[in-house]
Amino acid sequence: MGCASACSADSAERRQWIESLLARLPLRQAAVIRLRFYGDLPFDAVARSVGCSVPTVKSRFRYGIQKIRKLLDREAGTK
């Protein structure tokens, strides 16, 4: 298997793992994180996209990232 195939498989696995984490968040938090990272949108564009204020988007983003960190900490503690 060449690097392109292995790298593509790794990327697909990583994306699936990230999506499994995002699926455990409230929908609004997950949507903001997806738009920010996958869409590469600044917070003001994310706010326009979801129809709320920039401070609300930032708090959803922050709380979502905090929840993901807690999930990762729990997973690391069980291994």
Short mmCIF file of all heavy atoms in Angstrom, two decimals, residues 1-16:
data_model
loop_
_atom_site.label_atom_id
_atom_site.label_comp_id
_atom_site.label_asym_id
_atom_site.label_seq_id
_atom_site.Cartn_x
_atom_site.Cartn_y
_atom_site.Cartn_z
N MET A 1 0.86 -1.17 0.00
CA MET A 1 0.00 0.00 0.00
C MET A 1 0.91 1.23 0.00
O MET A 1 1.80 1.36 0.82
CB MET A 1 -0.90 -0.02 1.24
CG MET A 1 -1.83 1.14 1.29
SD MET A 1 -2.87 1.24 2.79
CE MET A 1 -3.71 -0.30 2.81
N GLY A 2 0.68 2.16 -0.90
CA GLY A 2 1.48 3.37 -0.99
C GLY A 2 1.06 4.39 0.05
O GLY A 2 0.04 4.24 0.72
N CYS A 3 1.87 5.42 0.17
CA CYS A 3 1.59 6.47 1.16
C CYS A 3 0.25 7.14 0.90
O CYS A 3 -0.49 7.43 1.82
CB CYS A 3 2.71 7.51 1.16
SG CYS A 3 2.39 8.84 2.35
N ALA A 4 -0.08 7.35 -0.37
CA ALA A 4 -1.34 8.03 -0.69
C ALA A 4 -2.52 7.23 -0.16
O ALA A 4 -3.45 7.78 0.42
CB ALA A 4 -1.47 8.25 -2.19
N SER A 5 -2.47 5.91 -0.34
CA SER A 5 -3.56 5.06 0.15
C SER A 5 -3.60 5.03 1.67
O SER A 5 -4.66 5.14 2.28
CB SER A 5 -3.41 3.64 -0.39
OG SER A 5 -3.50 3.63 -1.78
N ALA A 6 -2.44 4.88 2.28
CA ALA A 6 -2.36 4.82 3.75
C ALA A 6 -2.76 6.15 4.35
O ALA A 6 -3.49 6.20 5.34
CB ALA A 6 -0.96 4.43 4.20
N CYS A 7 -2.29 7.25 3.77
CA CYS A 7 -2.62 8.58 4.28
C CYS A 7 -4.10 8.86 4.14
O CYS A 7 -4.72 9.45 5.02
CB CYS A 7 -1.80 9.65 3.57
SG CYS A 7 -0.03 9.54 3.91
N SER A 8 -4.67 8.42 3.02
CA SER A 8 -6.09 8.62 2.80
C SER A 8 -6.91 7.82 3.82
O SER A 8 -7.91 8.30 4.35
CB SER A 8 -6.46 8.20 1.38
OG SER A 8 -7.83 8.33 1.16
N ALA A 9 -6.48 6.59 4.09
CA ALA A 9 -7.17 5.76 5.08
C ALA A 9 -7.07 6.38 6.46
O ALA A 9 -8.05 6.41 7.21
CB ALA A 9 -6.60 4.35 5.07
N ASP A 10 -5.88 6.87 6.82
CA ASP A 10 -5.70 7.53 8.11
C ASP A 10 -6.60 8.75 8.23
O ASP A 10 -7.21 8.99 9.26
CB ASP A 10 -4.24 7.96 8.32
CG ASP A 10 -3.31 6.78 8.56
OD1 ASP A 10 -3.80 5.68 8.85
OD2 ASP A 10 -2.09 6.99 8.46
N SER A 11 -6.68 9.52 7.16
CA SER A 11 -7.50 10.72 7.15
C SER A 11 -8.98 10.36 7.31
O SER A 11 -9.70 11.03 8.05
CB SER A 11 -7.28 11.48 5.84
OG SER A 11 -8.10 12.62 5.79
N ALA A 12 -9.42 9.33 6.63
CA ALA A 12 -10.81 8.90 6.74
C ALA A 12 -11.12 8.41 8.15
O ALA A 12 -12.18 8.71 8.70
CB ALA A 12 -11.10 7.80 5.72
N GLU A 13 -10.18 7.66 8.74
CA GLU A 13 -10.38 7.19 10.11
C GLU A 13 -10.43 8.35 11.09
O GLU A 13 -11.25 8.37 12.00
CB GLU A 13 -9.26 6.23 10.52
CG GLU A 13 -9.39 4.86 9.92
CD GLU A 13 -8.26 3.94 10.36
OE1 GLU A 13 -7.71 4.14 11.46
OE2 GLU A 13 -7.95 3.00 9.61
N ARG A 14 -9.54 9.31 10.90
CA ARG A 14 -9.51 10.48 11.79
C ARG A 14 -10.82 11.26 11.67
O ARG A 14 -11.39 11.67 12.67
CB ARG A 14 -8.32 11.37 11.44
CG ARG A 14 -8.22 12.59 12.34
CD ARG A 14 -6.97 13.39 12.09
NE ARG A 14 -5.83 12.63 12.59
CZ ARG A 14 -4.73 12.38 11.87
NH1 ARG A 14 -4.61 12.82 10.65
NH2 ARG A 14 -3.74 11.70 12.40
N ARG A 15 -11.28 11.45 10.45
CA ARG A 15 -12.54 12.18 10.23
C ARG A 15 -13.71 11.44 10.90
O ARG A 15 -14.54 12.06 11.54
CB ARG A 15 -12.78 12.34 8.73
CG ARG A 15 -14.09 12.95 8.35
CD ARG A 15 -14.02 14.44 8.33
NE ARG A 15 -15.32 15.01 8.03
CZ ARG A 15 -15.50 16.00 7.21
NH1 ARG A 15 -14.50 16.58 6.61
NH2 ARG A 15 -16.71 16.47 7.00
N GLN A 16 -13.72 10.13 10.78
CA GLN A 16 -14.78 9.32 11.40
C GLN A 16 -14.72 9.44 12.92
O GLN A 16 -15.75 9.57 13.59
CB GLN A 16 -14.65 7.87 10.97
CG GLN A 16 -15.77 6.99 11.43
CD GLN A 16 -15.63 5.57 10.90
OE1 GLN A 16 -14.56 5.15 10.45
NE2 GLN A 16 -16.72 4.83 10.95
#
